[in-house]
C-alpha cells in the first residue's frame, strides 16, 4: 500500500532528484531512516526512480514517431521498437492500431536507418509520420505533479536547492561524458563514489562535472513514475495545432499543468505534442474542456494510451518500472 508519506517522498524527489534523505526527512517531519527505507521499497517495487538525463538542446535532435500498423502485428512491432537502444518511449495507442515512440539517435546515420530504412520496409507498417522536436519543456516546474497529498509551497522551497537553470545555451558534452550520462540514466541517485567506479574518475572530478553540467542546464534529473500505482491509470497523447504566434504561450501553459507529463514543440501539422496522466476518463475530459479549451488551440487530436511498452529507456513489466541494464564499470 502507498500512503501519504510515500507520495510526499515521491513528490520531494521530483523537486530535487538528488536531495539527501536527511533534507527530505526534515521537510516531511519524519526520520531519515523512514525516508531511506520507504524510498528503497518504492524503488524496488517499480513505483518510481530518478534518472539523470541530458537536456534535448545538448544532444542530437529527438524524434516522435506515429506508426499505424496492422492491429494483429502491433504488439510485435512495438516490442521490436522497444528493444532498440535509441528508442526511449514506446506506447500502444488508438485502439491498438497505432504505436507512438520517441527516439534520440546518436548520429544522423542512426536516425536515417530507423526512419528511412527499417520502419518503412516493415510489412506490417501501414503509415508512418515522424516529428522532430524543436523545443521540449523538461524538468523542474514542468514535471507531472498531480499528486494526492502534495507538498506545500514552503516545503518545495526548502527542498529546491539545486542550481537554477540559466537561459543560455547548455554546455556542450564531451565524449568522456557518455559513460557518466549512461550511468545516471539508469539511476540518477548513484553516489559520487559509485559514479567514480563506473567512469574511472576520482570522486571529486565526478562531483565537479555533475554539478557543472547541472548548473549549465545540460543535465537535469527526471522522476519516472508508474502512475497507475499512484492512482492515475489514464494516459493520453494530445496532438495540437496552434498558430505560431500563440505557440510559446500555449506550450508553456500546458507544460505547467499538474497533469502534464511531457510537452514539446514539434514539426508537422500538429505542432505541439502533450502527454497527460489523469485519474480517470472524467478527469481527462475536464482537462481537455477546461484547460486545453481555454487556450487558443485550433485543432486537437487525442489518443489514449492502451499500454506502455517502454518508458524512459526501460521495458515495462505491467505498470511497474523495470530497471535498465547498468553500464559496465570502466576498465572491466
Amino acid at each position: 500500500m502507498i500512503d501519504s508519506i510515500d507520495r510526499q517522498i515521491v513528490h520531494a524527489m521530483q523537486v530535487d532528484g538528488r536531495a539527501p534523505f536527511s533534507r527530505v526527512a526534515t521537510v516531511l517531519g519524519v526520520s531519515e531512516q523512514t525516508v531511506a527505507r520507504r524510498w528503497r521499497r518504492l524503488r524496488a517495487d517499480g513505483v518510481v526512480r530518478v534518472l539523470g538525463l541530458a537536456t534535448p538542446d545538448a544532444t542530437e535532435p529527438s524524434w516522435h514517431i506515429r506508426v499505424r500498423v496492422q492491429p494483429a502485428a502491433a504488439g510485435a512491432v512495438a516490442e521490436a521498437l522497444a528493444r532498440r537502444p535509441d528508442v526511449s518511449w514506446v506506447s500502444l495507442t488508438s485502439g491498438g492500431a497505432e504505436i507512438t515512440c520517441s527516439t534520440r539517435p546518436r548520429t544522423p546515420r542512426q536516425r536515417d536507418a530507423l526512419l528511412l530504412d527499417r520502419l518503412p520496409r516493415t510489412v506490417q507498417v501501414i503509415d508512418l509520420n515522424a516529428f522532430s522536436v524543436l523545443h521540449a519543456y523538461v524538468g523542474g516546474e514542468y514535471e507531472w505533479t498531480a499528486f494526492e497529498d502534495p507538498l506545500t509551497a514552503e516545503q518545495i522551497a526548502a527542498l529546491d536547492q539545486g542550481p537554477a537553470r540559466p537561459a543560455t545555451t547548455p554546455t556542450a558534452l564531451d565524449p568522456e561524458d557518455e559513460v557518466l550520462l549512461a550511468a545516471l540514466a539508469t539511476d540518477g541517485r548513484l553516489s559520487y563514489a559509485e559514479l567514480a567506479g563506473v567512469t574511472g574518475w576520482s570522486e571529486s572530478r565526478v562531483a565537479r562535472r555533475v554539478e557543472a553540467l547541472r548548473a549549465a542546464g545540460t543535465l537535469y534529473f527526471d522522476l519516472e513514475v508508474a502512475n497507475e500505482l499512484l492512482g492515475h491509470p489514464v494516459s493520453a497523447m494530445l496532438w495540437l495545432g496552434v498558430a505560431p504566434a500563440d505557440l510559446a504561450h500555449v506550450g508553456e501553459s500546458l507544460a505547467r499543468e499538474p497533469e502534464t507529463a511531457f510537452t514539446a514543440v514539434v514539426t508537422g501539422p500538429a505542432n505541439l505534442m502533450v502527454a497527460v496522466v489523469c485519474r480517470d476518463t472524467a478527469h481527462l475530459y475536464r482537462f481537455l474542456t477546461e484547460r486545453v479549451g481555454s487556450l487558443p488551440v485550433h485543432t486537437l487530436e487525442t489518443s489514449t494510451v492502451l499500454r506502455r511498452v517502454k518508458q524512459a529507456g526501460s521495458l515495462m513489466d505491467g505498470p511497474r518500472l523495470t530497471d535498465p541494464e547498468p553500464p559496465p564499470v570502466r576498465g572491466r
Side-chain angles (χ1 to χ4, degrees), residues 4-305:
S4 62
I5 296 297
D6 291 330
R7 289 190 290 267
Q8 289 192 334
I9 290 172
V10 172
H11 194 179
M13 292 300 177
Q14 197 164 60
V15 175
D16 183 356
R18 288 187 68 86
F21 290 142
S22 57
R23 190 196 307 164
V24 177
T26 299
V27 169
L28 299 187
V30 298
S31 70
E32 182 177 348
Q33 292 79 7
T34 295
V35 172
R37 183 180 68 253
R38 290 188 177 225
W39 172 259
R40 293 187 184 106
R41 174 174 55 79
L42 291 166
R43 183 78 165 74
D45 289 347
V47 177
V48 64
R49 68 168 178 258
V50 175
L51 305 179
L53 303 172
T55 52
D57 292 342
T59 60
E60 284 286 326
S62 58
W63 293 75
H64 287 279
I65 307 168
R66 301 180 70 180
V67 186
R68 284 200 306 121
V69 298
Q70 298 173 11
V77 175
E79 295 287 349
L81 283 169
R83 287 193 293 270
R84 290 183 61 94
D86 57 327
V87 174
S88 53
W89 296 78
V90 181
S91 296
L92 286 170
T93 60
S94 297
E98 181 176 278
I99 300 167
T100 302
C101 65
S102 174
T103 178
R104 187 180 291 184
R106 291 176 178 270
T107 64
R109 183 176 181 179
Q110 190 179 52
R111 174 202 65 199
D112 294 346
L114 178 63
L115 298 182
L116 303 180
D117 184 21
R118 296 297 297 275
L119 277 175
R121 294 186 183 183
T122 302
V123 295
Q124 297 92 343
V125 171
I126 300 171
D127 188 30
L128 182 152
N129 288 286
F131 309 93
S132 177
V133 174
L134 303 180
H135 178 73
Y137 299 87
V138 295
E141 67 269 28
Y142 304 129
E143 297 278 8
W144 178 83
T145 55
F147 294 100
E148 306 291 339
D149 314 302
L151 300 177
T152 66
E154 292 76 15
Q155 288 175 312
I156 292 174
L159 282 166
D160 192 9
Q161 298 182 16
R165 180 179 301 169
T168 57
T169 302
T171 298
L173 294 170
D174 296 330
E176 289 184 320
D177 292 323
E178 286 199 17
V179 177
L180 175 65
L181 292 173
L184 290 171
T186 64
D187 185 353
R189 288 190 62 83
L190 289 173
S191 68
Y192 292 136
E194 291 169 319
L195 291 171
V198 171
T199 60
W201 302 352
S202 67
E203 286 188 45
S204 59
R205 180 184 176 188
V206 168
R208 287 195 303 271
R209 189 56 177 166
V210 168
E211 295 309 313
L213 292 174
R214 194 178 184 188
T218 302
L219 173 68
Y220 73 101
F221 291 92
D222 192 19
L223 196 73
E224 287 304 311
V225 181
N227 305 95
E228 297 94 330
L229 300 179
L230 292 181
H232 290 73
V234 175
S235 299
M237 303 295 300
L238 311 183
W239 304 89
L240 291 74
V242 182
D246 297 321
L247 194 53
H249 167 62
V250 174
E252 182 80 19
S253 298
L254 291 177
R256 291 178 181 272
E257 292 291 349
E259 295 87 352
T260 301
F262 180 77
T263 303
V265 177
V266 297
T267 58
N271 51 7
L272 190 67
M273 188 198 77
V274 182
V276 297
V277 178
C278 300
R279 290 186 299 274
D280 49 37
T281 53
H283 185 186
L284 175 60
Y285 172 76
R286 291 193 299 273
F287 181 85
L288 295 176
T289 56
E290 297 173 9
R291 312 287 180 78
V292 179
S294 67
L295 296 168
V297 173
H298 296 313
T299 61
L300 169 65
E301 181 183 354
T302 305
S303 296
T304 54
V305 175

